[in-house]
Amino acid sequence: MDAEDLRYGLGLTGADPAALGAALGTVALRLARKPGRLVRGVGELALAEAAVGVDVARLLLGSPDPPVAAPEPSDRRFADRAWKENPFLRGALGSYVVSSRWARRMLESVELPTHVRRKAKFALDVALDAAAPSNVPWLNPSAVKELVDTGGLSAWRGLGNLTEDLIYNRGRPRQLERGAFQVGSTLAATPGRVVYRNDLIELIAYEPQTETVFEQPIVYSPAWINKYYVLDLAPGRSFIEHAVQAGFTVFAISYRNPDRSMADLRLDDYLRDGLLTALEQASAVTGSPVVNIVSVCIGGTLAMMGLGALTARGEGDRVGWATLTVTLVDYSEPGDIGAFTDEQTVARIERRNARRGYLASDDLSSPFTLMRANELYWNYVVSNWYMGRKPSPFDILAWNADATRLPAAMHSQFLRACYLENRLTRPGAFEIDGSAVDLSHVQTPLYVIGAQNDHIALWRAVYRTTGLVGGPVRFVLTSGGHIAGMVNPPGKKNARHFVNETLPPDPDEWLAGATQVDGSWWEDWAAWAAERSGARVAPPHLPEGAPAPGTYVHG
């Protein structure tokens, strides 16, 4: 999983890592009950370690043979040639590789319930990440070379970085320099104004940038785990900017950051006072009875709930088309995050949230960082503390750190309806705002986007949306992970996407028949949306309002 994806993904569930140690304890207990298997395993480990010792001896004698135990070629921690050519480092790395593989094999050999296995694998990965020899400063060749090359200054700078992090960042290495980005100037900078506000949302309308615009406007439905501006990052990397410059009138929902007074809000409120209200306001401002939707992640899940509710009321034609970006509707395969959505864990999360009235952003701090420790923790330990460097500015990390709270009732309802019970896939099983949802009756054209390396919304699970609805669907598979798949502007290096005009039931069959297109899916989307958004007309007159990005985004 991409580093920036994990914290976001765990935020969807409010994942509680407390059960990770218990899961590993279960593995140890079951291995202890099978002493024969355990003894054989220890013997296998001893033989593997002996082979590493022989390999080091051969290297000392001048053997040119490759290591007997090497990490994956893509593992950047061990890219330095010293890990292969220095006998001491080669031995340390070889021992780490064989013991890591042994530990994973032992875990796989134990019979466990699926949810326990998922948690145990997460916990084992945490432990193995921490045990890597690259995390030891005097073993890391890059850190040692930096120390020599700078005459010791790297150690002094690293100590300064460590001290600053202890004071200002709760002892965790910074992924981003403080003040590297400013919301409203370097992020969320597309010109616009707040045209509506209630206790839940601000609705931002973006200033037209073309002489004519498409008749039907777009409402952007963001996920509520972070601030809305993932689709309005730095200029040139903003989907909203791209859409406005293509002639679309775009409105964005910016949710208020919940406090205890909002503890009882439910998905019903987010739909009624959020998305449906935004559709009404966009229609009133533009005069168009038809409004379209662009959504991301669980903002797309809410959009599908809304389409189901509108269809049940006979109002499905209020939405002309909808875009679902890396959105799960069928939660039967929830990816890595599924390890934290069993009944026991959800009940513990509910008890914790009930005491405060919300899921706090602080709940997503260091424990979750350690779950993808190589990218989110140890990489910065080595770079910031050992080598004395400053983290590079990255707009996605700045957005990802700008987390929000979640109302306790809504969060519980979401976890149970989607992750635990997967009710949207069953006609009539889910009711919202007084309407039972049957997605098979939804005729709204959909543009559905999955991302190849997405571990939060697995693309094959995203593809299942195509079989849940009754209307036409265009499915596009893009490169990148959950967040990089969204932030995919034209001109991005190595960007590509796959298209297929047919929709077979099997996603792998779809992929086998798909055509790879170099470039961003944003351009494919713009062409698809332009055909379905009405005639070109004069831009609407926007009412007066506070400049974008408004006030709620700073809450």
Side-chain angles (χ1 to χ4, degrees):
M1 188 186 299
D2 289 346
E4 61 269 19
D5 287 356
L6 185 82
R7 187 180 189 278
Y8 177 84
L10 290 167
L12 297 180
T13 62
D16 184 349
L20 291 178
L24 272 186
T26 300
V27 174
L29 182 61
R30 298 203 176 184
L31 281 173
R33 291 174 178 173
K34 301 284 186 179
R37 180 188 300 170
L38 185 58
V39 169
R40 286 194 303 272
V42 172
E44 292 169 0
L45 177 60
L47 288 174
E49 293 284 8
V52 171
V54 171
D55 179 61
V56 171
R58 293 172 61 188
L59 178 63
L60 288 169
L61 294 174
S63 171
D65 293 341
V68 296
E72 295 296 324
S74 60
D75 194 334
R76 294 177 294 177
R77 296 175 296 173
F78 308 109
D80 195 294
R81 66 189 183 94
W83 290 111
K84 293 181 180 178
E85 299 180 14
N86 180 298
F88 179 66
L89 294 181
R90 181 155 154 173
L93 176 57
S95 178
Y96 171 71
V97 169
V98 298
S99 59
S100 297
R101 292 173 180 170
W102 172 82
R104 291 190 173 100
R105 285 198 306 272
M106 293 300 290
L107 189 153
E108 291 298 329
S109 71
V110 178
E111 295 181 2
L112 296 166
T114 300
H115 70 279
V116 175
R117 182 177 301 278
R118 284 173 172 169
K119 291 180 182 179
K121 290 177 69 174
F122 260 91
L124 182 60
D125 285 343
V126 171
L128 294 178
D129 286 344
S134 56
N135 298 333
V136 181
W138 53 87
L139 291 184
N140 191 303
S142 298
V144 173
K145 289 174 184 176
E146 189 77 6
L147 184 70
V148 173
D149 291 346
T150 64
L153 282 177
S154 63
W156 182 253
R157 293 170 185 151
L159 180 61
N161 291 340
L162 171 60
T163 302
E164 190 173 348
D165 290 338
L166 288 172
I167 296 171
Y168 297 111
N169 202 42
R170 301 183 182 181
R172 300 191 298 269
R174 282 165 296 156
Q175 301 170 12
L176 192 74
E177 277 290 276
R178 289 183 298 151
F181 294 95
Q182 296 295 326
V183 174
S185 57
T186 52
L187 296 173
T190 303
R193 65 186 77 174
V194 176
V195 296
Y196 175 82
R197 179 186 294 111
N198 62 23
D199 288 340
L200 180 62
I201 69 166
E202 287 181 330
L203 186 65
I204 300 167
Y206 292 92
E207 308 290 348
Q209 298 185 28
T210 54
E211 291 186 2
T212 61
V213 297
F214 291 100
E215 182 180 16
Q216 299 172 8
I218 294 171
V219 165
Y220 161 41
S221 173
W224 48 81
I225 180 59
N226 279 71
K227 306 295 176 63
Y228 79 93
Y229 59 89
V230 66
L231 288 193
D232 190 22
L233 285 176
R237 285 168 53 78
S238 165
F239 177 89
I240 288 175
E241 177 189 60
H242 179 78
V244 170
Q245 292 177 350
F248 295 95
T249 300
V250 181
F251 296 79
I253 296 171
S254 176
Y255 288 107
R256 176 183 165 194
N257 197 3
D259 54 28
R260 190 172 185 84
S261 69
M262 301 170 68
D264 295 329
L265 291 190
R266 295 170 55 82
L267 287 170
D268 309 61
D269 301 288
Y270 272 65
L271 178 64
R272 182 182 58 254
D273 299 332
L275 180 59
L276 296 185
T277 294
L279 295 178
E280 293 169 1
Q281 294 298 319
S283 179
V285 169
T286 62
S288 172
V290 177
V291 180
N292 304 308
I293 298 173
V294 167
S295 59
V296 300
C297 193
I298 50 176
T301 308
L302 183 68
M304 289 306 297
M305 294 174 181
L307 290 177
L310 290 175
T311 299
R313 300 169 190 173
E315 301 175 10
D317 56 358
R318 287 176 54 188
V319 178
W321 53 259
T323 295
L324 308 179
T325 310
V326 291
T327 292
L328 285 180
V329 180
D330 182 338
Y331 281 76
S332 59
E333 192 177 359
D336 290 346
I337 308 306
F340 301 94
T341 51
D342 59 280
E343 174 63 39
Q344 181 184 17
T345 303
V346 170
R348 184 164 54 248
I349 293 168
E350 289 173 332
R351 290 193 298 270
R352 181 188 63 195
N353 291 347
R355 292 193 295 269
R356 291 177 302 201
Y358 54 81
L359 172 72
S361 58
D362 289 348
D363 293 337
L364 312 176
S365 55
S366 54
F368 308 121
T369 297
L370 293 176
M371 292 177 199
R372 197 60 178 178
N374 288 338
E375 292 85 359
L376 287 170
Y377 186 80
W378 293 111
N379 175 56
Y380 293 97
V381 166
V382 172
S383 178
N384 299 4
W385 296 352
Y386 298 171
M387 302 178 71
R389 296 176 178 176
K390 299 291 186 181
S392 300
F394 187 25
D395 52 10
I396 288 178
L397 284 178
W399 165 81
N400 209 0
D402 198 5
T404 61
R405 298 178 290 270
L406 302 178
M410 182 271 284
H411 188 236
S412 174
Q413 182 189 14
F414 167 70
L415 289 182
R416 291 192 173 277
C418 295
Y419 278 98
L420 281 186
E421 300 169 14
N422 198 21
R423 279 191 261 159
L424 284 175
T425 61
R426 306 195 306 274
F430 180 75
E431 184 176 309
I432 188 167
D433 197 27
S435 299
V437 173
D438 184 349
L439 295 182
S440 66
H441 292 166
V442 172
Q443 298 295 318
T444 308
L446 300 182
Y447 188 98
V448 179
I449 304 145
Q452 275 185 302
N453 300 318
D454 191 339
H455 293 262
I456 296 169
L458 303 178
W459 80 262
R460 290 174 178 83
V462 172
Y463 184 85
R464 294 196 186 106
T465 302
T466 64
L468 294 176
V469 295
V473 182
R474 178 171 179 78
F475 183 82
V476 175
L477 180 63
T478 185
S479 55
H482 189 75
I483 298 171
M486 298 186 238
V487 184
N488 207 297
K492 182 179 179 181
K493 186 179 178 181
N494 299 325
R496 65 187 184 280
H497 60 278
F498 297 85
V499 297
N500 187 339
E501 302 304 322
T502 64
L503 289 173
D506 184 357
D508 290 303
E509 184 181 344
W510 180 92
L511 182 59
T515 301
Q516 178 176 317
V517 181
D518 292 332
S520 168
W521 64 266
W522 290 11
E523 295 169 308
D524 181 85
W525 169 86
W528 180 90
E531 296 176 357
R532 295 162 175 80
S533 298
R536 299 292 291 244
V537 298
H541 173 73
L542 300 180
E544 294 299 321
T551 57
Y552 281 0
V553 73
H554 298 294

